[in-house]
Amino acid sequence: MGPLGILGGGQLGRMTLQAASALGLDVVIAERFPDSPAARLTSQSIVFETGWDDAAALDRLAKLAPVVTLENEFVDWRVLQALEERGVRVLPSPSCVGVVQDKLLQKQALARAELPVPMFCEVADPAGLIGAAQELGWPLMLKARRDGYDGRGNVLVHDASEVEAAFAKLGWPGRELFAEAFVDFERELASLVVRGTDGQVAQYPVVETIQDPNLHICREVLAPADLPDDVAQNAAAIARGAVEAVGGVGAFGAELFLLPDRQVCINELAPRPHNSAHYTIEACWSSQFDNHVRAVFGLPLGDASLRAPAAAMVNLLGTRSGPLANEDLAAALAEPHAYVHLYGKAANRPGRKMGHVTALGASPAEALARARAAAARIHI
Amino acid sequence: MGPLGILGGGQLGRMTLQAASALGLDVVIAERFPDSPAARLTSQSIVFETGWDDAAALDRLAKLAPVVTLENEFVDWRVLQALEERGVRVLPSPSCVGVVQDKLLQKQALARAELPVPMFCEVADPAGLIGAAQELGWPLMLKARRDGYDGRGNVLVHDASEVEAAFAKLGWPGRELFAEAFVDFERELASLVVRGTDGQVAQYPVVETIQDPNLHICREVLAPADLPDDVAQNAAAIARGAVEAVGGVGAFGAELFLLPDRQVCINELAPRPHNSAHYTIEACWSSQFDNHVRAVFGLPLGDASLRAPAAAMVNLLGTRSGPLANEDLAAALAEPHAYVHLYGKAANRPGRKMGHVTALGASPAEALARARAAAARIHI
């Protein structure tokens, strides 16, 4: 099998590359700058000097890699299309990514598939939002249709007096926005779904994700989530249905809300391996990265179930600048059955995902205590 | 922590690199030719154009990598010394490797430590061997002191009439030889020992290794070996004692013989990660590669015990030339809980180690059946 091309050189590309390399595959990393975390793990990388639409770089990638996937969901779907036009097999498909990366189109696709989503509507301008509030109620979420992540691109609007400022904050009129009913969820859940070109699915357990309230970044993941069976099954079915609704192939992270009445609704999809499933590297029979690679090459998917009773993951978020102290890594590795992953990023900065720690245990609480103990020793 | 340099670009270097990369480490691969399996997994590699003693290449490696280890035990210890002279921390140490890579010196060191080794003696010429046979008995093994592996470099000599031909076959007088009593062992065992710079040890279970009788290459590994506790403990103690006897730091494979009377003797050490412990990637809490990296960086070692009841590994040996068929890989991956590893070697040839399959199970026999089933589908 020919080399796998990956658009994006961050940690998701790096971990996908690691999984591909176990199967003997060469990987070509495409990124807009040199020396990305993933590019440092291959002898074949391409720098997109002028941005993702760099035609000469696309030509080179198409020559090297017959199959291309992405780890960065912000690569515009038209770039994927340009690769397809050069004869490359791109998975997930440009049309699927085009729907997913526009959160309004994504929501519309999920709603059409009769999946539970918060009420939403398109808004053209501030007056439109005030009109929409009659249906959605206050407070509501104003969101950018594209390029939002980790809470960026969202503003909670409490009443009409905040509307103008919210539009300005999100960059309107330079960016298209939409509005969504505010969901007063109880917990956030996630499930990683890998879908093959033939429709086969490997689905990982429903997990609980805990966000940092200030940074709006995932801090911790508990696997499995502590849920009644019927709730977990419903959440899993919604996640799987969502990936099918957009015709996804490869790994998709589905972010879900658990409501106070035990109902579940879907927040959004990410068309790539997902932070909420990093724990699968050690905790499941086949990791999300392994199954992502298998899916894009049309290989049979591996078992996505847990091979340990429980797991927990803690993200290592940058808190400062400067390199990691060796003593910190040594102290973290002294914690038994805790797995420290560092992404090899050249520079840290507050809130940046620099690595993660996964721990296994007899229960999610035990695993979390171990993962926290190890992570707390790393000052990065 | 600065980049790790690895002398050798084969599968052992590739898998060491994979483990190092999980800890965020950059790796520099040094090999005598470009595009080795390990070099393809890093943006930093150095080609030793004129052989391992290429002074310019040694200079470059010393500049890039403050810590260097080896995956190829045939890199002469004087090359390691030349790196030390350039300020590099080399582990295992040049003096240790110097002893291990000369099988006569190695045997002498093990015997001095009162570890059970087959009787052996230095022989200068054919007449010397005939004299030695009075003590060692016929048949006996005539062995090259250096550069032998997988049965190459050894000849079984049945009687005096075969002596001249045996010396010629091993390249004497161009190579130094020694003689060893023939050991009519019952089974072959192995144990991987990782030793830290501070003497801490992580020791993997004693396994049974099954060699191909024609190719003299390891075909299968069963973990743990089916042994009475006292025999397994004795084997483990001998393996550990052997690594301590040569002052080893990092991963060492110890190959052992189980004798018909349940005694164990040590055959030889390899000063590097070892084929008999590839199963540790999936079957143990920390793999041999992870612990090798930790040892050379002075980090605490991880738990070397099994996290599954049993495991088995089957080597994928080349049987022909030409690339692997996608359908073969697909068929192998369809076997549940079997892990296919391919090394990305540019060319296969009969007997070449192209990859391996590890499977887990409730017993070594169950794991072996799975690993064999998956491996049998790959025609490489």
Side-chain angles (χ1 to χ4, degrees), chain A residues 14 18 21 285 303 337 339, chain B residues 18 21 285 303 337 339:
Chain A
R14 186 171 165 107
Q18 287 163 335
S21 72
W285 293 98
D303 186 346
H337 304 181
Y339 297 90
Chain B
Q18 288 164 335
S21 72
W285 293 99
D303 187 346
H337 305 181
Y339 296 90

Side-chain angles (χ1 to χ4, degrees), chain A residues 102-136:
Chain A
D102 181 324
K103 288 186 187 174
L104 179 61
L105 295 185
Q106 184 191 131
K107 281 259 148 64
Q108 289 168 340
L110 300 179
R112 263 198 311 277
E114 299 182 355
L115 295 165
V117 289
M119 274 204 298
F120 64 92
C121 73
E122 203 168 347
V123 293
D125 52 31
L129 184 63
I130 289 169
Q134 294 183 354
E135 198 187 346
L136 303 180

Side-chain angles (χ1 to χ4, degrees), chain A residues 34-58:
Chain A
D35 213 30
S36 62
R40 292 219 297 282
L41 283 189
T42 177
S43 58
Q44 298 184 78
S45 58
I46 297 175
V47 178
F48 280 57
E49 305 272 0
T50 63
W52 286 120
D53 55 0
D54 181 330
L58 286 166

Side-chain angles (χ1 to χ4, degrees), chain B residues 141-163:
Chain B
M141 295 298 293
L142 186 63
K143 295 187 167 187
R145 286 176 62 168
R146 301 173 61 87
D147 299 339
Y149 71 104
D150 284 346
R152 282 181 255 197
N154 295 349
V155 176
L156 180 64
V157 188
H158 292 89
D159 57 44
S161 74
E162 293 180 6
V163 167

Side-chain angles (χ1 to χ4, degrees), chain B:
Chain B
M1 293 186 303
L4 170 65
I6 302 179
L7 294 164
Q11 66 267 25
L12 301 177
R14 186 171 165 108
M15 291 186 273
T16 302
L17 185 159
Q18 288 164 335
S21 72
L23 294 177
L25 290 164
D26 287 333
V27 175
V28 183
I29 295 294
E31 187 47 278
R32 293 148 298 168
F33 45 85
D35 213 30
S36 62
R40 293 220 296 283
L41 283 188
T42 177
S43 58
Q44 298 184 78
S45 57
I46 297 174
V47 178
F48 280 57
E49 306 272 1
T50 63
W52 287 120
D53 54 359
D54 182 329
L58 286 167
D59 286 343
R60 278 199 293 152
L61 179 58
K63 253 183 215 135
L64 284 173
V67 178
V68 168
T69 188
L70 57 107
E71 64 113 48
N72 177 336
E73 79 260 38
F74 302 122
V75 179
D76 193 275
W77 67 277
R78 283 163 292 219
V79 170
L80 307 183
Q81 204 174 41
L83 279 170
E84 270 197 351
E85 283 159 9
R86 285 163 169 85
V88 175
R89 187 166 165 80
V90 181
L91 292 167
S93 71
S95 59
C96 166
V97 173
V99 168
V100 174
Q101 67 188 189
D102 181 326
K103 289 185 187 175
L104 178 61
L105 295 184
Q106 184 191 130
K107 282 258 148 66
Q108 288 167 340
L110 301 179
R112 263 199 310 278
E114 299 183 358
L115 294 164
V117 289
M119 274 202 299
F120 64 92
C121 73
E122 204 170 347
V123 294
D125 52 31
L129 184 62
I130 289 170
Q134 294 181 354
E135 197 186 349
L136 305 179
W138 299 108
L140 52 71
M141 295 298 293
L142 186 63
K143 295 187 167 187
R145 286 176 62 168
R146 301 173 61 87
D147 299 339
Y149 71 104
D150 284 346
R152 282 181 255 197
N154 295 349
V155 176
L156 180 64
V157 188
H158 292 89
D159 57 44
S161 74
E162 293 180 6
V163 167
E164 291 285 349
F167 271 74
K169 188 172 176 195
L170 290 175
W172 184 84
R175 272 170 112 186
E176 290 184 299
L177 309 180
F178 73 105
E180 206 175 275
F182 174 71
V183 178
D184 194 17
F185 57 82
E186 193 173 83
R187 282 187 275 163
E188 292 188 66
L189 307 175
S191 177
L192 198 293
V193 176
V194 183
R195 192 159 166 268
T197 47
D198 56 355
Q200 64 171 321
V201 167
Q203 180 161 14
Y204 292 91
V206 176
V207 299
E208 179 174 352
T209 62
I210 298 161
Q211 321 300 314
D212 184 291
N214 301 312
L215 296 169
H216 301 288
I217 297 178
C218 175
R219 263 222 176 268
E220 296 177 336
V221 172
L222 296 173
D226 181 19
L227 295 172
D229 282 352
D230 61 329
V231 176
Q233 281 162 19
N234 183 37
I238 291 167
R240 180 179 171 140
V243 178
E244 286 166 350
V246 299
V249 169
F252 280 69
E255 301 177 9
L256 306 155
F257 291 139
L258 177 66
L259 307 180
D261 63 358
R262 311 273 95 181
Q263 293 300 305
V264 171
C265 70
I266 181 157
N267 176 28
E268 62 181 50
L269 285 177
R272 50 163 174 77
H274 197 260
N275 191 180
S276 66
H278 290 355
Y279 76 92
T280 63
I281 295 174
E282 289 88 7
C284 295
W285 293 99
S286 288
S287 76
Q288 65 165 338
F289 301 104
D290 176 45
N291 269 328
H292 180 60
V293 171
R294 294 189 191 205
V296 301
F297 279 102
L299 296 165
L301 302 182
D303 187 346
S305 62
L306 287 164
R307 59 174 288 213
M313 187 223 60
V314 175
N315 273 333
L316 298 171
L317 302 179
T319 57
R320 56 181 186 83
S321 59
L324 176 65
N326 291 0
E327 307 78 58
D328 284 8
L329 179 58
L333 290 175
E335 181 67 29
H337 305 181
Y339 296 90
V340 178
H341 293 255
L342 295 169
Y343 303 149
K345 294 191 180 179
N348 55 351
R349 58 170 186 260
R352 191 172 196 201
K353 290 174 183 163
M354 301 301 293
H356 72 267
V357 178
T358 296
L360 307 176
S363 67
E366 183 185 89
L368 182 60
R370 280 187 186 143
R372 280 182 176 169
R377 295 174 199 152
I378 293 182
H379 307 91
I380 198 165

